[in-house]
Amino acid sequence: MDPDWLPFHPNPSRPAFRAPAGAVDAHCHVFGPQARFPFAPERKYTPCDASKEQLFALRDLLGFERNVIVQATCHGNDNRALLDALQHSNGKARGVASVARDVSDAALEAMHAAGVRGTRFNFVRRLVEFTPREMLAEIAQRIAPLGWHVVVYFEAQDLPGLWDFFTALPTVVVVDHLGRPDVRKPVDGPEFERFVKLLGEHPNIWSKVSCPERLSASGPPALEGERNAYRDVVPFARRIVEAFPERVLWGTDWPHPNLKSHMPDDGLLADFIPHIAPAPELQRKLLVDNPMHLYWPEEAK
Ligand code: 0GY
């Protein structure tokens, strides 16, 4: 399969937003290099290489200090690129891996030592084949004693069918990208209310308030350099940040895998933060306290 998506922004702008000291980009990826870490044969898309060095340079440009690197489906259950990045991060990156039910205890322990603190279950139909729930439940039981959590990715219309599975999980559960709401629907309509209820009723469920560039219906900025893009996502993200300030995370999603419409300027994405978390106190929770609690608990205040 040839690369089938756009390369990431070659020259992201420096954001106007000043992140608080210790800020964590809690959702980003590394891919390849393909020659060393081949992509999974069962993948649904092929990204271009996105190296740890490029990720760490972006971190510095944006004024962040740490990364949470998340395994994406294009690498399947082969976490070597992720582990390599963690091991070369000087302790400044932790990870979310993807594991199979038959993963050995030794492999889990090695991942933990490298900085993995969670596993990801993907329910987005365009990205993965169906994985039986009982297998995922078994994986959750395996990783719970390590203190890991489960990251879940799904689309809003699938939440009713996943509700019972998510709410029975024995760990913290982090939902990617606000549960992918359809932002053309009202923020107080039944679909998003269901998501708010999920977090409201289950104190172990968290949400990433990331990826306005994926969720926006109004689309990319009309002009290069325009800093007013993706505003239709703001009410959704802001509602979750304000209702659950202790259970939200933010990430760039660099290098924006499988995004077909456009490639966002990561500086512009960072400038989105004060719109969804206006008060400095909210920003500190979103970018520092919450990710530290989940990924570096031994250092968290
Ligand atoms: C993201 C979003 C996407 C891809 C993946 O694991 C993945 O391949 O998560 C997507 O296509 O929406 O968070 O990277």
Side-chain angles (χ1 to χ4, degrees), residues 162-185:
L162 292 162
W163 184 285
D164 290 346
F165 176 71
F166 291 162
T167 57
L169 286 168
T171 62
V172 164
V173 178
V174 180
V175 177
D176 275 343
H177 315 334
L178 292 162
R180 287 204 69 117
D182 179 346
V183 300
R184 291 165 302 188
K185 296 180 180 169

Side-chain angles (χ1 to χ4, degrees), residues 7-156:
F8 49 86
H9 197 293
N11 190 21
S13 60
R14 193 178 289 278
F17 172 66
R18 295 280 301 273
V24 182
D25 173 354
H27 187 98
C28 48
H29 310 281
V30 288
F31 296 136
Q34 199 172 173
R36 189 166 165 219
F37 304 117
F39 297 118
E42 72 277 13
R43 70 192 181 277
K44 304 291 188 199
Y45 64 88
T46 301
C48 57
D49 288 343
S51 72
K52 53 186 184 287
E53 292 83 4
Q54 289 165 311
L55 175 64
F56 300 151
L58 179 74
R59 173 199 66 198
D60 295 345
L61 176 82
L62 298 182
F64 278 58
E65 292 185 20
R66 301 180 194 227
N67 296 105
V68 178
I69 306 176
V70 176
Q71 179 78 355
T73 55
C74 54
H75 272 304
N77 286 339
D78 179 349
N79 297 287
R80 283 177 298 160
L82 165 66
L83 297 177
D84 173 69
L86 299 183
Q87 282 156 344
H88 290 89
S89 72
N90 291 322
K92 298 293 185 193
R94 291 233 153 130
V96 175
S98 205
V99 300
R101 136 171 104 158
D102 58 0
V103 64
S104 69
D105 287 340
L108 286 177
E109 278 154 26
M111 282 188 239
H112 190 85
V116 173
R117 294 293 179 270
T119 189
R120 191 175 191 217
F121 298 161
N122 204 316
F123 300 93
V124 177
R125 295 160 200 271
R126 63 187 159 75
L127 290 174
V128 282
E129 303 300 329
F130 176 73
T131 309
R133 306 267 162 90
E134 56 278 14
M135 281 196 196
L136 298 178
E138 243 183 271
I139 294 169
Q141 294 296 343
R142 297 277 318 280
I143 58 100
L146 292 164
W148 292 14
H149 58 276
V150 173
V151 174
V152 293
Y153 191 26
F154 61 92
E155 296 186 319

